[in-house]
Amino acid sequence: MFGSVRMNNDEHVRELEPTPEEAHARKALSVLLRHGMDQQRLNVDQLVRRSSLGRTTVSQALNNNGSVPTDRTLRELARALHIDAELLIDLRRRFAPDSSIPSNPDTHFENRYRVYLARRHSQLEIIGLDLTHDRSRWPLDTAYLSLELATASEFATLHDQAGAAPTIRVQRAEDTLAGLDRVLIRGLAGSGKTTLLQWLTVMATKSQLPVQLMKLSGHIPFLLPLRTLVRRQSLPTPAEFLAHLDCPLATAQPEGWADRVLSAGRGMVLLDGVDEVPQADRKRTYRWLEELLAAYPDSFFAVTTRPTAVQEGQFSNEGFAELTVRPMDGRDVAVFIDRWHEAARDRNATREEAAQLTGLAERLKDTVRAQRNLAQLATTPLLCALLCALHRVRRGHLPRGRKALYDAALSMLLIRRDDERDVQAPEGITLDEQQSAQLLQRLAYWMIRNGQAELDRTDGEHEIAAAFPAMPAVAEQGDAARVLDHLIARTGLLRQPTAETIDFIHRTFQDYLGAKAAVEARDFGLLDRHSEDDQWEDVLQMAVAHARPDEAERIITDLIARGDRTPEQRVRLHLLAAACLEQATQLDPAVRAEVVKRVTRLVPPRSWKQAARLAGCGGMLLDLLPGPEELTDQERAFVVHAALAIGDESAMPFLKRYRETVGPLLWDQLGSGWHVSHPDPQEYVREILSYCPGGGRVTVRTTAQLGLAPPADAFPRLWVEGPFSAKALAESGQLTGRNEVVLSNNEVLDSLEFLRQYPQLTQLDLRACPAITDLVPLTDLALTRLDLDLPSLRNLQIVESFGKLERLRLDMPLDYPSLAELPVPPGLTVLELLNCPPTTRTITGVKRFQQLKHLTLPAACTGDLGELNDLPALTSLSFVPPREPLRGSFPRVSTVALYQATEPVDLAGLLQAFPALSYLHIGFTRPVDTLDLTPLSKISELAVEVWGECRVVGNEGFSPGKVKHYP
């Protein structure tokens, strides 16, 4: 596919020397095979026996010795190693294409396009890396730092688990993305979202994706900055992708090529910056995305956004996993500082400069560790790069606070760079720092007012020309076009993506400069009117930082007032006012007290989502969160969740206030805290976990945590997440005495044989362990509860022999004709069925489970539900609310849980179906305007629990405390 060819007697002859792409593909094939052996813990002899191949054949495939393995060889190896055979074959075809298949225009164009992408995106602009513009680019393979992404589980389906915390998974990006086809990535400004997409583009182009992402091997990336696309009247079709990006290869692509790539599931559509799309354009952007998803369901899609620009759950119906970029922890910061200074040394530094940079790196790491205010700043790659640059330029002296950091950075970028390099007006224009800043402010403010992340060059020239009457010293040096050229070339803050457009090197600087212009123009009314627009959140915070005390008071007071009179925006606006407090250097105590009073109404948080939102206020939240006194166990769990979600070690003193408090939900949160907040594991065990009163669940995701986990008498429930081998789990001794174990997201574990030695184990949860295909070892256990999400398990027959099993949850597409033939014990009291294939979404045969007390129906369950009335013990039912009213009446069912609801529920129809209703749980996966409980208010002592964003009305007729809403 990538080979160099030459003509010889009208025949193509492959040159002996492989291209770099071919060499990468060959090496990737060998690495993937050896990784599979490591995962399966096989040596060569064992692999030979398992694959039924000859030893020479296997050795040649593993050793990358120049031979070309056949399709059959790769398929047998894939079967033996539990690897996707198509991945192996695709890699083989990249360095040894099938000569029987004639070359085609698509292949030739893809070669050119891959080379273009690799060159186009192989470097990053790193702020302040050096003081000359032409030396500020950094190779991506050096610059890229694999940050952590967090995701949370969906709503629980069983009503008595509805109050359980969402399971927060935090992994490195390549591990989190493994196996996902559609992802929405949230992150703060400068958190590395764009860099992540750029890295995916280059790695896929070069066939250098890590093993975890080999599923994307062979994919063709389309990296699409949305701010560029929406500037045109219509959003592009796939055939227009390259043209809308001004890619020089656009006219060379074969007709229909992009459609063929995406239709075959080989496309990677990477949409960067939903938050940079103006509010007026977002609906059409979402419709355009929905059309792409419908047309090309098998391709990979990734979308990035700032946290509040897209509502939680907005894309859930389209199958998007929602991920959040975590703040850099202390280890990430240290790695970034070392890499930044290493890159600076590589910029032709003298021996003396290199030694100085080494010393500066060590001093900066010590300073950041020692000073909390700097540690709180260095949480994103952008801010960390600024600290590195300023620390170098200012000889180890750093500003304090976010505004001071940006002020110093602008000074460095605008003037000091040229002054210290003795650069004298190469464009014939000389501007001082104030003149440059004023012009940049005009450009930034125009872009903010017009909702643009890019600026047409003609509009930019117009704005500069409009400033000339008030700036004669600038006007006399040249026309607007020359001045704009100077700003692009010399300030280091502007860039020119295309000949016709201009943008800032990072949106943060646009917001910072635009906010300064708004304050200087006293446009406080404009700031107030746009406070409901998520694109203005950073502008408002920076406006408070720039403002005088009375101006800051006005901005914050306006936020409070608008939040008071806008119920649907109240939480966001009041939290934004709280975030603005940190930017105000001086503020009337009365105004501060008004903000605190309103935020106090939001604490304790009343849901996991509220807790996560409150955490966005940063460290100041810890001073507002209450102690454990007077709180319920659920509220304590929410509070601790918020403290942990802040994501740094500053939460430790606060958590100590909760360590001697009893509560199962609280201790489930504390038991996972060392993973979420990155404290020192030994300190966390000593200061927090050792105080557990017993009955808790501890979550481990690293080898260090596995070794340090407290014993079973304090934490009888153990959650192990990640690639731990059976040997590592057994040798750790951590399963001894535990009665409940969860093994999750483990691609290494291929046998459950080691569990035979733990007879006390009564509850087992196996999820996302793809190598597990056999449950026979579990026959030695007296399991009473079993939860299964095993993608490779096809036969449940052995489960029928688990005589003591009472509760069974199946979250995988098992194909069975009816429940009558489902091979499980008939004595179950709880049965949960999820993710069933369409052919088996029926309850036919459920009457065999005469002891069943609770049943969870799969989504879109079809057929007559009348058979439920044949179950004398059934009193509890969970299901996805159907679009059509339920047929029939179920007088014995008193507890109903509706999960994955996406629209208001027909409560009158529900009451007709369940006349004995005494408890109702409703879990919404996306915001709903209003839920009217009036049809239920006539039921005496009915308890209703609502999870999700909605306005609950009609609860006046209920007894006090009977309606609980967790928004």
Side-chain angles (χ1 to χ4, degrees), residues 273-284:
V274 170
D275 55 286
E276 296 182 343
V277 175
Q279 290 278 7
D281 290 321
R282 286 194 188 167
K283 284 188 178 180
R284 72 181 179 108

Side-chain angles (χ1 to χ4, degrees), residues 613-881:
R613 287 180 179 175
L614 284 170
C617 292
M620 66 165 289
L621 176 67
L622 296 174
D623 298 326
L624 301 173
L625 291 174
E629 302 81 9
E630 307 301 325
L631 298 180
T632 65
D633 181 38
Q634 183 75 77
E635 290 170 338
R636 290 166 182 158
F638 292 153
V639 168
V640 167
H641 188 73
L644 292 170
I646 292 172
D648 61 38
E649 298 174 8
S650 63
M652 281 291 288
F654 177 84
L655 296 176
K656 290 179 182 179
R657 296 160 57 185
Y658 280 77
R659 65 188 181 185
E660 295 183 4
T661 305
V662 178
L665 294 176
L666 167 65
W667 276 98
D668 281 354
Q669 280 296 291
L670 291 174
S672 66
W674 57 0
H675 171 58
V676 178
S677 58
H678 295 298
D680 175 78
Q682 291 183 328
E683 179 189 4
Y684 195 80
V685 171
R686 182 177 65 252
E687 300 295 338
I688 304 295
L689 296 185
S690 63
Y691 288 79
C692 180
R697 184 186 74 195
V698 64
T699 303
V700 300
R701 294 178 176 87
T702 68
T703 301
Q705 291 172 357
L706 182 63
L708 292 170
D713 56 350
F715 289 89
R717 298 177 294 134
L718 176 67
W719 186 311
V720 183
E721 180 163 356
F724 292 92
S725 67
K727 180 180 179 181
L729 292 171
E731 291 181 349
S732 72
Q734 289 294 356
L735 273 65
T736 301
R738 315 274 184 188
N739 58 35
E740 178 183 333
V741 170
V742 179
L743 301 176
S744 174
N745 292 286
N746 192 329
E747 297 181 354
V748 174
L749 193 65
D750 62 354
S751 172
L752 300 176
E753 197 68 33
F754 74 105
L755 291 178
R756 293 183 187 271
Q757 59 186 299
Y758 304 107
Q760 84 291 340
L761 188 60
T762 59
Q763 301 183 55
L764 181 63
D765 186 338
L766 302 171
R767 57 182 68 182
C769 300
I772 297 296
T773 59
D774 182 12
L775 301 180
V776 171
L778 303 184
T779 55
D780 285 355
L781 305 178
L783 291 177
T784 61
R785 176 176 175 176
L786 181 62
D787 292 10
L788 297 176
D789 174 13
L790 300 176
S792 300
L793 184 66
R794 292 293 177 264
N795 191 343
L796 278 180
Q797 199 66 46
I798 195 65
V799 177
E800 200 165 15
S801 65
F802 296 176
K804 294 188 177 182
L805 196 64
E806 299 174 358
R807 301 159 67 102
L808 176 65
R809 174 187 173 113
L810 300 175
D811 190 3
M812 53 190 183
L814 285 170
D815 196 1
Y816 52 88
S818 72
L819 288 177
E821 300 178 54
L822 183 67
V824 299
L828 294 175
T829 60
V830 173
L831 176 61
E832 295 190 83
L833 304 171
L834 296 94
N835 292 330
C836 297
T839 56
T840 57
R841 292 175 185 169
T842 173
I843 67 163
T844 301
V846 73
K847 61 184 177 183
R848 64 182 279 223
F849 301 106
Q850 288 293 295
Q851 299 178 48
L852 201 63
K853 297 178 180 179
H854 171 86
L855 174 65
T856 294
L857 302 175
C861 184
T862 60
D864 186 5
L865 300 183
E867 198 171 335
L868 294 178
N869 285 322
D870 293 332
L871 301 175
L874 187 72
T875 59
S876 175
L877 192 66
S878 295
F879 56 93
V880 176

